[in-house]
Amino acid sequence: MNIMNKITAKSLRKNKTRTIVTIIGVILSTAMITAVTTFISSMQAYILNYTVESEGDWHGVVQNVDSSDYQQLRKDKELKDVVAVKSDGFAYLPESRNEYKPYLHVLEIQEQAFAHLPIRLLEGRLPQNGNEVVISEHIYTNGGVEYKIGDTLTLELGQRVFEDGTAILDQAGYSTPEEGEPEKLDITKERTFTVVGICKRTSFQLEGYSSPGYTLFTKLNMEDVQEKDILSVYYKTKHPRDIYTLMERIRKEYKGAICKENEELLLYMGISNNNSFNRVLYSLGTILISLIMVGSISLIYNSFAISVSERKKQFGLLSSIGATGKQRMNSVTYESFVIAGIGIPIGVISGIAGIGITLYLLKDALNSFLAYESSVSLSLAVSVPAIIVAVIVALITILLSVYIPARRSRKVSAMDAIRQTSDIKLAARQVKTSKLVRKLFGMEGDLALKNFKRNRGRYRTTVISLFVSVVLFVAASSFASYLKGSVTDVYEDMEYDIVYNINSYENDQEVDSSKEKVYQDILALDGIQKGSIIDSVSVTANLPRDYVEDEYYNTRMEQGEVSEDGEVSTLVSIQSVDHATFMEYIDKLGLSEEEFTNPKSPTGILIDRQHYYNHDEQRYLNKNILKDKTVRSLPITYDVDENQQGTMDIAIGAYADIAPYGVEDYAAGSFLLMIVDEQGKEAYAKIEDSEWMSAMYFSAKNPKQAEESIRKLLIEAKLPTANLFNLAESLQANRNIIMVISVFSYGFIVLISLITIANVFNTISTNVNLRRREFAMLKSVGMTQHGFNKMLNFECAFYGLKALIYGLPASVGITYLIYQSVNRGVEMPFRLPVTSMVISSFSVFLVVFVSMLYSMSKIRNENILDALKSETN
């Protein structure tokens, strides 16, 4: 160790308080960077594991290829884990309660493929040979046919064909005689299977939502595959980021092959072909990293700047005996590495521990939001690359923070450094204040302002710290708000878990009474928390040109939905809500019951929000059809019979942004939602002959148990069970993402707040300590404690006001940049962060005053003579 480094080390040991404060700044900064990167890696690991469980661990699939193509794909150097799946045909399932799924579909899977495809066992085991099968629970939950482990199935298998012998694609929807040309099975073989396992319904890649058959999985023996057999080949790539280029090559090499990617998995791996998603991801990532870097640099820079300022006299003495500027620079750099060597490891460990403790404490709350029967949970996942990134970012931050004050120290002459005259160089006119200041604030306020001007560098450091704190807090709050808002907008959550769709009816009183009885029976079940029953019908409203938005008008014009007189044809979905739910709804909106329940006056509540994904713009849009909320009635047209239409007006009693329980608060297309009370049906009895749809919505403590109980009730009532849907798992997946983003958002705000508070506290307390001699001089000439406190209060006010004058406009600008980034993926209105601005304004003054009070308490009882002898300014 050379002499300069020894002097630096001795200086660090001698000034323990300053060294500890600087180390704490590095620890906080590194901990924040580590916490953010570790939380992101934990969140990514959770979402990836959940996606692997639900969608499978594969990157792409090549469909419609033969066995020779399969062998060629296995030899492809860019592919790995290449596995085959083969359809062995369909068999009739005459007991099926779902008329659109009358078949069983046998899917043969290569043994290695079971590890990569989303076949999630509920009980039993995987098949070990071609005589064993795993069946989907969907056969029972949707088709009403129950099989158990150990059952034997003898199936006559064949291919789906039309009456003329034309083959039908496996995943094509069932063609009923009523809907078109009927289909049949061309039976070619018979196979007997033993049920050895029951699994959850698999992803749509293996069983499409419109698939006509329930899938059975058995083992595929590749030796039995014939050359003419059609296969689907699943694979992973050695370089996932090249997946889209690879798929393009495969399409060219294998004519007639259909290539698809595991879009969900690739998306959460950070690989997406969606340019809009990439733009949002990268722009938000850039903003997030920038906020962290600014907060870290501000905190560490102030710590090192103060350290260099305190060592100026030492640098002057060293310079006077021959130390070069380079040596002084190396001394400061050495100090930074010593501080980094202590602070960074502790910061990394603290960041990981902090996130680990946070996730552990939130474990029960988070698990309550996890999809039932899922083996995946959110837990700490430490990523080595993420830690390396955190260390590198922290080290770069420290070096950048040291560079500026170190360079500044090189320019100070030895004499100025020894005499410490470089900090304050000014003329009388530079500290001159107006008479108005003294008149308004007294001598103490005038003196505070003079102090403010006297040492601009020191006060500028404090104001910059406050400025950065304001900007960081408002920006972090806005970032969290927009991030959570965009995710919530995309992954819309529903209050209900279970839906039962009742077939359409035409003024059928028998169906009405049966429906009401079943609904009440379901509500009476244990575990059912809430329910509603909704009748809906679609009608048409012809709106004048002046009523609708220009963009909507132009779109409808292109679609030929504008009449000669300029009226725009718009769909209206009338949602008739059961009376109890409707009363709860209007109470939430604060509306009058009498206005909306008068059977003689058709009055409804209109929801005008169009929320959908635009493939051309590659983003989610939120639009309105109506220009404003002055429209008070809709002239609707409905079908009376095949050759006649009727018209009537439905009054709009109110507009709303939220919907009642069971109704979505947006339209996934171009139509309006009209909410009405079921007891007012007499008012629109004219459209009773139109085709109404009816559905029941329920939420339950345990959706799985509730589904079983409801199914038994429906069977007893001799009602079909195929239209009973348990949405809990898919909705919980959305709730998981929203919950994770919420935890991240609030955690990020807390971390940024801690950084900003530490920054301000460190800056002000150190500056007060450096002014001990100045304060002692004021006391020695007779300034009372009251006047002294008054002066400091004015200084605090000047600090806060100046920081807010610059900080608030800057934070609005950064908020707008965040908004623009999010707006690339989800259309949202720009919102001024008023709440965050108010909180930050209040917090600035609070933190400044508390920091000043704490610092002054340390020197209040100090001896004046001892303070005057102090060499610090």
Side-chain angles (χ1 to χ4, degrees):
M1 182 184 293
N2 61 41
I3 187 65
M4 291 296 292
N5 291 346
K6 288 181 179 178
I7 293 172
T8 302
K10 186 175 182 180
S11 177
L12 287 172
R13 288 193 296 269
K14 182 180 178 181
N15 298 279
K16 291 181 181 178
T17 303
R18 186 193 69 209
T19 303
I20 291 172
V21 168
T22 308
I23 290 174
I24 289 173
V26 173
I27 291 172
L28 282 173
S29 176
T30 309
M32 184 177 74
I33 298 170
T34 305
V36 171
T37 55
T38 303
F39 189 90
I40 290 173
S41 64
S42 299
M43 183 174 71
Q44 185 184 32
Y46 161 71
I47 295 177
L48 277 175
N49 291 336
Y50 189 88
T51 305
V52 165
E53 186 183 65
S54 59
E55 301 295 330
D57 187 19
W58 53 274
H59 297 158
V61 58
V62 186
Q63 298 173 334
N64 200 33
V65 294
D66 57 29
S67 58
S68 61
D69 294 329
Y70 165 72
Q71 295 300 333
Q72 288 298 319
L73 286 167
R74 286 193 65 191
K75 297 176 183 177
D76 196 311
K77 294 181 180 179
E78 295 184 42
L79 304 182
K80 63 178 182 178
D81 298 333
V82 179
V83 293
V85 173
K86 172 179 169 288
S87 170
D88 200 41
F90 290 81
Y92 285 113
L93 181 64
E95 304 92 344
S96 176
R97 289 177 173 271
N98 188 342
E99 61 176 319
Y100 294 98
K101 282 183 175 289
Y103 304 128
L104 291 175
H105 182 203
V106 176
L107 211 58
E108 295 182 295
I109 296 180
Q110 196 175 357
E111 184 176 6
Q112 299 92 321
F114 283 106
H116 299 284
L117 298 178
I119 300 173
R120 296 168 285 170
L121 286 174
L122 294 174
E123 56 179 303
R125 59 174 175 83
L126 294 173
Q128 297 174 349
N129 54 61
N131 298 320
E132 297 177 341
V133 291
V134 167
I135 67 171
S136 169
E137 66 166 352
H138 197 49
I139 299 174
Y140 173 65
T141 59
N142 185 265
V145 182
E146 186 174 12
Y147 293 115
K148 297 180 180 179
I149 292 177
D151 287 353
T152 299
L153 304 179
T154 300
L155 305 177
E156 294 182 338
L157 296 169
Q159 301 302 316
R160 300 168 59 205
V161 295
F162 289 118
E163 291 289 341
D164 61 0
T166 304
I168 305 174
L169 294 175
D170 286 348
Q171 295 296 328
Y174 180 65
S175 179
T176 63
E178 295 81 10
E179 295 177 341
E181 187 178 355
E183 64 175 78
K184 63 178 183 178
L185 289 184
D186 181 13
I187 306 296
T188 57
K189 67 178 102 171
E190 181 178 286
R191 292 184 67 177
T192 300
F193 301 99
T194 300
V195 178
V196 296
I198 298 175
C199 68
K200 295 185 68 63
R201 180 178 181 176
T202 188
S203 71
F204 73 93
Q205 290 283 3
L206 296 179
E207 183 185 313
Y209 295 118
S210 60
S211 173
Y214 301 100
T215 309
L216 310 179
F217 303 99
T218 188
K219 182 181 176 182
L220 172 65
N221 188 347
M222 292 303 298
E223 296 177 357
D224 297 334
V225 176
Q226 301 178 10
E227 188 174 346
K228 64 178 181 179
D229 288 338
I230 302 300
L231 303 174
S232 292
V233 180
Y234 291 82
Y235 61 86
K236 296 178 74 174
T237 67
K238 294 179 180 177
H239 306 287
R241 294 196 176 276
D242 299 331
I243 179 71
Y244 295 104
T245 305
L246 177 65
M247 286 172 60
E248 194 60 36
R249 175 171 67 79
I250 291 175
R251 285 191 186 97
K252 293 178 181 178
E253 291 181 6
Y254 300 87
K255 301 296 182 182
I258 301 171
C259 296
K260 296 179 181 178
E261 74 274 19
N262 192 342
E263 187 176 355
E264 288 286 314
L265 183 66
L266 293 172
L267 180 69
Y268 296 126
M269 288 175 66
I271 305 166
S272 175
N273 206 26
N274 187 324
N275 294 328
S276 174
F277 176 82
N278 291 335
R279 287 197 303 269
V280 173
L281 184 67
Y282 295 141
S283 58
L284 284 179
T286 301
I287 292 171
L288 176 63
I289 294 171
S290 299
L291 289 175
I292 294 171
M293 288 288 288
V294 169
S296 302
I297 290 174
S298 175
L299 179 61
I300 299 173
Y301 171 80
N302 285 337
S303 298
F304 277 105
I306 292 165
S307 170
V308 172
S309 176
E310 289 182 337
R311 292 179 62 194
K312 277 184 182 178
K313 184 173 182 179
Q314 183 190 77
F315 289 148
L317 290 170
L318 292 170
S319 181
S320 69
I321 59 174
T324 64
K326 183 179 180 181
Q327 286 177 316
R328 298 200 303 272
M329 183 79 171
N330 290 339
S331 173
V332 177
T333 305
Y334 175 74
E335 178 182 343
S336 70
F337 277 110
V338 172
I339 297 294
I342 300 172
I344 288 180
I346 297 175
V348 168
I349 295 171
S350 300
I352 294 173
I355 287 298
I357 292 170
T358 300
L359 295 179
Y360 179 79
L361 293 175
L362 294 173
K363 184 177 180 181
D364 293 337
L366 288 171
N367 285 341
S368 68
F369 281 86
L370 296 176
Y372 59 88
E373 294 176 353
S374 171
S375 61
V376 178
S377 61
L378 179 62
S379 58
L380 181 68
V382 179
S383 168
V384 174
I387 298 302
I388 293 174
V389 168
V391 171
I392 291 173
V393 171
L395 189 58
I396 292 173
T397 301
I398 291 171
L399 293 176
L400 287 174
S401 302
V402 168
Y403 181 74
I404 297 174
R407 276 203 57 168
R408 191 177 297 151
S409 70
R410 291 181 62 181
K411 298 177 182 180
V412 180
S413 67
M415 189 59 67
D416 284 342
I418 294 171
R419 295 173 61 189
Q420 293 188 323
T421 58
S422 59
D423 284 342
I424 304 173
K425 290 182 178 180
L426 46 81
R429 58 183 176 82
Q430 290 179 281
V431 292
K432 186 177 181 181
T433 57
S434 69
K435 295 180 180 179
L436 182 62
V437 172
R438 177 165 293 199
K439 186 173 291 186
L440 291 175
F441 305 112
M443 184 271 290
E444 294 83 2
D446 188 51
L447 189 57
L449 189 57
K450 285 182 183 292
N451 286 333
F452 203 78
K453 293 182 175 185
R454 172 173 168 263
N455 191 343
R456 293 181 182 274
R458 186 179 295 163
Y459 285 92
R460 191 181 294 118
T461 301
T462 306
V463 172
I464 289 174
S465 295
L466 290 169
F467 165 82
V468 170
S469 301
V470 171
V471 172
L472 282 178
F473 180 80
V474 176
S477 300
S478 299
F479 181 89
S481 174
Y482 278 110
L483 181 63
K484 184 180 177 183
S486 61
V487 170
T488 305
D489 198 58
V490 173
Y491 297 96
E492 294 257 0
D493 190 16
M494 307 300 174
E495 295 179 276
Y496 50 84
D497 303 302
I498 299 171
V499 179
Y500 179 57
N501 292 321
I502 302 172
N503 291 333
S504 60
Y505 62 90
E506 296 181 1
N507 201 20
D508 192 329
Q509 296 297 327
E510 184 177 344
V511 172
D512 262 347
S513 59
S514 173
K515 173 186 69 176
E516 183 63 31
K517 182 180 184 304
V518 169
Y519 173 66
Q520 295 300 333
D521 289 343
I522 294 174
L523 280 183
L525 289 173
D526 291 337
I528 296 294
Q529 297 172 314
K530 195 173 183 180
S532 69
I533 185 165
I534 313 292
D535 296 334
S536 61
V537 67
S538 293
V539 296
T540 303
N542 295 314
L543 303 174
R545 169 73 177 84
D546 295 339
Y547 280 17
V548 299
E549 294 282 359
D550 294 338
E551 183 179 348
Y552 177 74
Y553 178 84
N554 294 332
T555 301
R556 301 299 283 174
M557 174 73 82
E558 293 172 2
Q559 296 170 349
E561 298 295 335
V562 178
S563 64
E564 294 181 359
D565 57 1
E567 289 189 335
V568 186
S569 178
T570 303
L571 286 176
V572 179
S573 176
I574 298 178
Q575 305 279 331
S576 175
V577 184
D578 68 273
H579 185 66
T581 303
F582 189 79
M583 289 299 98
E584 180 184 331
Y585 178 54
I586 63 172
D587 182 62
K588 184 185 294 184
L589 295 176
L591 300 174
S592 168
E593 175 181 342
E594 292 76 14
E595 182 179 358
F596 298 94
T597 55
N598 185 352
K600 296 181 180 179
S601 175
T603 304
I605 299 168
L606 192 73
I607 297 176
D608 176 18
R609 181 191 169 210
Q610 313 303 311
H611 173 65
Y612 56 95
Y613 183 78
N614 186 294
H615 291 277
D616 294 330
E617 297 185 28
Q618 290 190 332
R619 64 173 183 155
Y620 285 87
L621 299 181
N622 292 290
K623 301 289 185 183
N624 295 109
I625 292 178
L626 302 177
K627 277 187 175 180
D628 51 46
K629 297 180 180 180
T630 59
V631 180
R632 284 300 159 190
S633 68
L634 290 180
I636 66 168
T637 303
Y638 55 91
D639 293 328
V640 176
D641 53 44
E642 293 183 2
N643 303 314
Q644 185 180 359
Q645 288 188 324
T647 60
M648 68 178 295
D649 286 347
I650 294 184
I652 303 172
Y655 286 81
D657 296 322
I658 59 173
Y661 180 85
V663 180
E664 294 179 348
D665 60 1
Y666 66 92
S670 298
F671 61 91
L672 300 168
L673 293 171
M674 178 69 80
I675 313 298
V676 296
D677 179 25
E678 67 166 354
Q679 291 191 357
K681 269 192 175 181
E682 294 178 21
Y684 45 89
K686 297 177 183 178
I687 57 175
E688 278 291 312
D689 289 335
S690 296
E691 190 176 83
W692 287 76
M693 301 296 294
S694 187
M696 302 177 190
Y697 301 86
F698 304 98
S699 55
K701 293 178 182 177
N702 187 322
K704 185 70 174 178
Q705 290 181 1
E707 180 189 6
E708 292 296 321
S709 300
I710 293 172
R711 179 172 283 104
K712 290 177 182 177
L713 264 179
L714 295 176
I715 292 173
E716 291 173 5
K718 297 182 179 180
L719 290 174
T721 60
N723 293 332
L724 179 65
F725 301 100
N726 188 342
L727 306 180
E729 187 164 358
S730 60
L731 289 175
Q732 288 291 14
N734 294 350
R735 292 167 188 165
N736 295 345
I737 295 172
I738 294 171
M739 168 60 76
V740 168
I741 291 298
S742 297
V743 173
F744 173 78
S745 300
Y746 294 126
F748 181 59
I749 292 174
V750 170
L751 286 172
I752 286 289
S753 299
L754 289 175
I755 286 289
T756 56
I757 291 171
N759 189 10
V760 173
F761 186 84
N762 181 30
T763 304
I764 290 179
S765 60
T766 307
N767 277 341
V768 168
N769 188 53
L770 292 174
R771 294 173 64 192
R772 290 163 55 210
R773 190 177 180 186
E774 173 191 329
F775 293 155
M777 290 176 65
L778 290 173
K779 290 180 180 179
S780 69
V781 295
M783 178 175 273
T784 64
Q785 189 63 45
H786 174 74
F788 189 74
N789 291 339
K790 192 175 179 183
M791 179 193 74
L792 293 179
N793 289 338
F794 279 121
E795 285 192 21
C796 292
F798 291 150
Y799 284 145
L801 287 173
K802 196 160 187 177
L804 292 175
I805 288 171
Y806 294 111
L808 292 180
S811 62
V812 172
I814 294 176
T815 297
Y816 186 74
L817 293 177
I818 295 170
Y819 157 74
Q820 288 285 25
S821 298
V822 173
N823 201 48
R824 292 175 178 180
V826 180
E827 185 182 41
M828 300 177 72
F830 176 70
R831 298 183 296 270
L832 273 176
V834 176
T835 304
S836 301
M837 292 168 72
V838 171
I839 293 173
S840 64
S841 300
F842 173 77
S843 300
V844 160
F845 290 107
L846 179 64
V847 173
V848 169
F849 278 103
V850 170
S851 301
M852 189 70 80
L853 287 173
Y854 173 80
S855 303
M856 290 306 302
S857 69
K858 296 291 185 180
I859 64 173
R860 180 172 290 117
N861 298 322
E862 188 176 43
N863 186 280
I864 295 177
L865 290 177
D866 290 339
L868 288 172
K869 293 176 184 178
S870 173
E871 294 182 343
T872 58
N873 279 332

